[in-house]
Amino acid sequence: MQRSSLLFIALALLIGRVSAQDELEKRATWSIPPTAEVKARLDNYLAGKTLDEAAKLKIDALWPDEAQPLDGGELLDRLTASLAVVEPKVAEVVTACRQNSPALAAPQFDGLTDTSLPALVRDNLRLLVGRWLAQHDLVDESLEVLKDIGPEHVADPATLLFYQAVGQHRLLKKDECLTAVAKLLERESDLPRRYVTLARLMEADIKPLKEDSLDEIARMMDDIRRRLALARAGKVVRDEEDSVVAKLEKMIDELEKQRQMIQQQRRQQANRGARRPNNPMQDSQRAELKGPGEVDPKNIGKRDGWGNLPPKERQEVLQQIGRELPAHFRETIEEYFKRLAQDGVR
């Protein structure tokens, strides 16, 4: 009887797990195409082309066993390599993406925007280029290439969603990154383990990110360094630098206000202690007012910038900020102070 009960419980758990998996599959908004389906799309496209015997042999060599399922990345590579046999514009892109590293300026490919090419060719080509750009840290260019591509249009939708999430994470687009990660993980059980692991790490990393925090400022500084290393010194970098300076100013203003409040509280406590008499007045005795009735105005600082702080106090604030940032960002903060001094302090 006990053994039967255990078997019943195990069977119920198994059914429950299968049902939960089925429910998850139903909720997924995208699917992973099988190898045979992608090959069928390719064959349908090639049916409208005139191929010589050499071209047919090259394509057949890329698909030795159509029944064998391929990893999404390999499936994308074989599809685009097959298309490169018959499309010169595709061949140009495939050859470039096989290079070890791109030039500082991302190359422009006509095949990515040629509307005469069908979606099968154009979208998978864009995915190939977007993946290549992201792998070489050209995340802005990668996101631009990958935007507006639907998972249903490419041979490897998992890679599409993964690199969209990577780019949005790198550029601190928190909401967009979390949305892309959530969509990617709809098919968690079908994804390569590396995608799942990195997606979870990106989610855990960016979810607690708060606007105007030291963490955000540090990441923005790191992104500026990345762009400058890629010889990107245009408007985007200048705007990002201005944003960092504005956030630092805001943070420093808040620190100064906190310092002033603490000093004011200490002065008030000291004044109360100084005015407390050694012999308290008896309740029955009338108090004699001798004070002039004047208020001592307190210096609560100026609103024209924190640069008016004395050098010693300014250094204390700098140390407080630098204590929470990586060491290599302290130089950037010091440069910020020098810039304030040179500009006359706004």
Side-chain angles (χ1 to χ4, degrees):
M1 183 66 179
Q2 185 177 4
R3 181 178 179 183
S4 299
S5 299
L6 291 175
L7 288 173
F8 177 78
I9 293 173
L11 181 59
L13 290 174
L14 179 60
I15 294 174
R17 185 177 302 175
V18 172
S19 299
Q21 182 64 30
D22 290 343
E23 185 63 26
L24 186 62
E25 293 291 334
K26 292 177 183 178
R27 291 201 303 268
T29 58
W30 60 283
S31 60
I32 298 176
T35 300
E37 180 182 327
V38 174
K39 181 59 166 61
R41 294 182 194 175
L42 173 64
D43 291 340
N44 185 56
Y45 170 74
L46 295 176
K49 296 288 183 180
T50 302
L51 303 179
D52 58 26
E53 194 60 31
K56 291 179 181 179
L57 290 174
K58 287 181 181 179
I59 295 173
D60 289 342
L62 292 168
W63 305 88
D65 185 1
E66 298 179 21
Q68 180 182 1
L70 298 174
D71 173 79
E74 187 177 357
L75 187 57
L76 175 67
D77 290 337
R78 293 198 188 189
L79 174 62
T80 51
S82 300
L83 295 171
V85 175
V86 296
E87 290 287 354
K89 290 182 179 180
V90 178
E92 176 191 14
V93 176
V94 171
T95 300
C97 291
R98 287 173 179 169
Q99 303 300 319
N100 290 330
S101 61
L104 290 178
Q108 301 297 316
F109 299 112
D110 293 337
L112 302 185
T113 56
D114 188 350
T115 55
S116 66
L117 294 174
L120 173 71
V121 179
R122 195 170 59 252
D123 289 344
N124 282 286
L125 206 57
R126 289 170 62 192
L127 176 56
L128 183 72
V129 173
R131 182 185 67 178
W132 176 67
L133 291 169
Q135 289 171 346
H136 292 91
D137 216 17
L138 298 175
V139 291
D140 300 83
E141 293 84 350
S142 174
L143 278 181
E144 180 64 24
V145 170
L146 296 178
K147 72 177 183 181
D148 302 328
I149 302 179
E152 68 277 8
H153 296 148
V154 294
D156 187 10
T159 289
L160 170 66
L161 294 171
F162 175 76
Y163 280 108
Q164 286 176 339
V166 166
Q168 289 153 355
H169 176 269
R170 193 69 178 82
L171 299 182
L172 304 185
K173 296 183 177 182
K174 179 177 177 178
D175 293 338
E176 294 89 338
C177 176
L178 291 175
T179 299
V181 167
K183 189 168 186 176
L184 174 66
L185 293 177
E186 289 175 357
R187 293 276 179 187
E188 180 174 350
S189 61
D190 300 322
L191 299 177
R193 180 49 48 188
R194 64 185 185 279
Y195 280 7
V196 174
T197 301
L198 291 173
R200 291 295 185 195
L201 288 173
M202 287 190 290
E203 182 181 46
D205 179 65
I206 204 169
K207 190 175 256 185
L209 182 67
K210 295 182 179 179
E211 189 175 359
D212 297 333
S213 64
L214 283 172
D215 185 22
E216 183 192 47
I217 293 173
R219 292 168 189 244
M220 292 175 68
M221 289 177 175
D222 184 52
D223 189 56
I224 291 171
R225 289 176 181 271
R226 177 189 67 83
R227 294 176 188 274
L228 293 176
L230 294 168
R232 306 292 197 272
K235 185 178 184 302
V236 173
V237 170
R238 292 194 299 272
D239 289 345
E240 196 165 8
E241 288 174 335
D242 290 341
S243 180
V244 167
V245 170
K247 289 177 183 293
L248 281 171
E249 285 179 340
K250 180 179 178 181
M251 182 175 296
I252 291 168
D253 286 342
E254 291 175 353
L255 287 172
E256 184 181 1
K257 289 176 182 177
Q258 292 174 10
R259 180 188 63 83
Q260 291 173 351
M261 289 178 61
I262 292 173
Q263 289 182 347
Q264 188 174 11
Q265 291 172 357
R266 288 175 178 173
R267 284 196 296 266
Q268 291 173 349
Q269 291 173 357
N271 290 338
R272 284 196 295 268
R275 289 196 299 266
R276 187 177 298 117
N278 292 330
N279 296 316
M281 183 177 293
Q282 300 299 321
D283 292 341
S284 60
Q285 184 178 351
R286 293 181 60 185
E288 182 180 357
L289 300 178
K290 297 181 179 180
E294 297 178 356
V295 178
D296 180 20
K298 302 297 182 183
N299 179 14
I300 60 174
K302 300 180 180 179
R303 295 183 61 83
D304 59 350
W306 105 286
N308 294 318
L309 284 176
K312 181 179 179 181
E313 296 181 5
R314 187 186 309 171
Q315 186 63 24
E316 288 177 358
V317 177
L318 169 62
Q319 291 174 353
Q320 183 174 350
I321 295 176
R323 203 175 296 126
E324 300 183 49
L325 282 174
H328 58 280
F329 290 132
R330 295 173 190 168
E331 298 177 3
T332 305
I333 297 176
E334 290 172 0
E335 287 298 323
Y336 159 73
F337 292 129
K338 293 178 182 177
R339 174 176 172 180
L340 279 184
Q342 293 170 355
D343 293 344
V345 186
R346 288 196 295 271

